Amino acid sequence: MLDAQKNLTTSFLILLSLPTAAIGFCLSAGIASSTWLLSTRYGLNIDNIALIWLAGPLMGLLVQPIVGALSDRTWLLSGRRKPYLLVGGAAGAASMFAMLRLDTLASTTGLSLLAVAVVVALLCDLSTNVTFNPARSLVADLTPEGPDRVRGYSWMQTVSGIFGISAYVISIFFGNEVLILVTVAVTFLFSVAPLLFIQESGPSTPQPKPVPSEQAQTRSSGADAFKALLPMSSFMGYGIFIAVDKLVLDGALSTIAVPLFLVAVVITLAWGLLIVRQARTDSSHKLRLQKILLGHGFAWLGVQGMFVMAFFFVRDFVVPTTDPASVLANSFLHLAHGAAPTAADTAGNVMSLGFLLLNVVGALLPVLMLKPLCVRWGKVRVHQIAMGLMALGYLLVSLGANSELLYYGGMLLCGIGWSSLISIVFAIFSESVSSGEMGVSMGVFNSSLVLPALAVPGLLKLSDALGHHRWMFLLFAACLTASFGFWSTVSEKSDATREVC
């Protein structure tokens, strides 16, 4: 074992963060390029693109808990998590390369372009699910609770944020096709190479600083975590409806898609409110966990919706009201190529610059601000405020749709929420579940963002019905407001936990 690992130095925590950062780079590249590529290069419409984005969460819902449970019980290649990081890194690199060859794969296999795109999306998300859970669990495995665990997850987000920033910089300066090729190398290299320098605790090796038994009694088991997802089960039902209607019934039931989406949201909110009411007289850790997952789920409904739909919002509402010669994002591409961008390229550049700003804030805040604020106010309160600020960021984008600068301002504000959403919240959750079932519990936690992602096509259809997507960011703001509401009912774990956070 390296001395750096024994002492949990900053350099080791950065090394420990690299597999997560590699998959984060892959996700950022997908966000920056997938919708643009599918729309401009392959000519798919927004409904088909939403279906492709839906394929990933459906796969994740099945794979994440299974991989998490298996990785808790695996010991291969001197590790519990290492085999999954190796397989996931290789599959992620291969699936990203396949994105540039969808037409070739379609002609070779005889399948439709849409079918091939769905298969590649499934492979890409499968690799993400195989890798992300073990990578995040590895941080919890090798850091004790308290300051070191928060440091671990804070550095994880900082390193991931820097990788994400790099992805958007490459997209803006060199284009999305170059970004995809770079992603292939980064995903494989940084998923695999760090494993040579990390030693996992063996099956008989005690974990560092185990949790006292009386504290463990206030934690949820993997089974409890599964049950905590039940309030969001209507989202899963809606996702299955959309998939069947599109792939089997050829859209025959599309007229009821919006009403069913609203029913699913109302059921989830009503169930959540009942849990909040019950928790007033019952301080059970199981009810607390349900509120955590509901808050996280509604946040991801808004965030995943942004990932899928932001390109179309920028293309249809921001770019048309902006003089192409004055578009800030185009100036970077012009520096690199000297060519005049098309309207689609301009929309892609503006979207990428917005996501770049979001990731800059997301990379810097966890270590510079969120950690000291957690010490002062507590992790839950900091995360709650971050969700509220993200809702305000979405509102700013929505109200300033005719301004490129307001779009960037809103994305900067959203970056505060983003920084907490993928750093502090993991520390909150990991201290709420059994450390002996961390893999399966992290799988369940990831399912709390997968389930809402299944409902994103309904959010898209509602956005279209309200004004041809003009108010989509207002809907995202509503999702984050619901998240803020649920987080406002979650208490800190304990006074002791707050002191060492």
Side-chain angles (χ1 to χ4, degrees), residues 50-218:
L51 179 66
I52 292 167
W53 278 86
L54 176 64
L58 280 172
M59 174 65 74
L61 192 63
L62 297 173
V63 172
Q64 285 175 356
I66 294 173
V67 169
L70 289 176
S71 71
D72 283 337
R73 295 162 175 80
T74 297
W75 189 256
L76 183 66
L77 301 176
S78 300
R80 287 195 293 171
R81 318 299 181 185
K82 287 181 181 180
Y84 300 92
L85 297 177
L86 289 169
V87 172
S95 60
M96 284 304 294
F97 183 76
M99 287 293 293
L100 294 174
R101 300 291 185 269
L102 294 181
D103 47 359
T104 302
L105 291 171
S107 61
T108 301
T109 61
L111 298 173
S112 68
L113 183 65
L114 178 61
V116 171
V118 169
V119 171
V120 171
L122 287 172
L123 177 61
C124 187
D125 206 75
L126 175 62
S127 65
T128 301
N129 293 320
V130 167
T131 309
F132 244 148
N133 258 2
R136 288 167 173 167
S137 298
L138 192 61
V139 177
D141 290 344
L142 301 182
T143 58
E145 286 189 13
D148 288 325
R149 173 124 355 135
V150 174
R151 280 180 63 225
Y153 280 117
S154 294
W155 275 111
M156 181 193 77
Q157 169 51 18
T158 297
V159 176
S160 297
I162 292 171
F163 273 53
I165 290 168
S166 302
Y168 293 113
V169 168
I170 293 170
S171 173
I172 292 169
F173 277 94
F174 302 104
N176 287 323
E177 293 191 20
V178 173
L179 171 61
I180 291 174
L181 292 174
V182 172
T183 302
V184 173
V186 168
T187 301
F188 182 76
L189 179 63
F190 289 101
S191 293
V192 175
L195 304 181
L196 301 174
F197 306 98
I198 295 172
Q199 181 177 329
E200 294 190 61
S201 300
S204 60
T205 305
Q207 298 294 318
K209 298 181 183 179
V211 180
S213 57
E214 64 271 15
Q215 204 173 355
Q217 293 175 2
T218 65

Side-chain angles (χ1 to χ4, degrees), residues 47 50-51 54 235 238-239 241-242 254 256-262 264-265 301 309 452-466 469 475-476:
D47 288 327
L51 179 66
L54 176 64
F235 288 152
Y238 185 81
F241 161 77
I242 288 292
S254 61
I256 64 172
V258 171
L260 279 182
F261 170 71
L262 293 175
V265 172
L301 179 59
M309 300 157 64
L454 298 178
V456 166
L459 197 64
L460 183 152
K461 291 180 180 295
L462 178 60
S463 172
D464 186 34
L466 290 177
H469 306 299
L475 294 176
F476 303 159

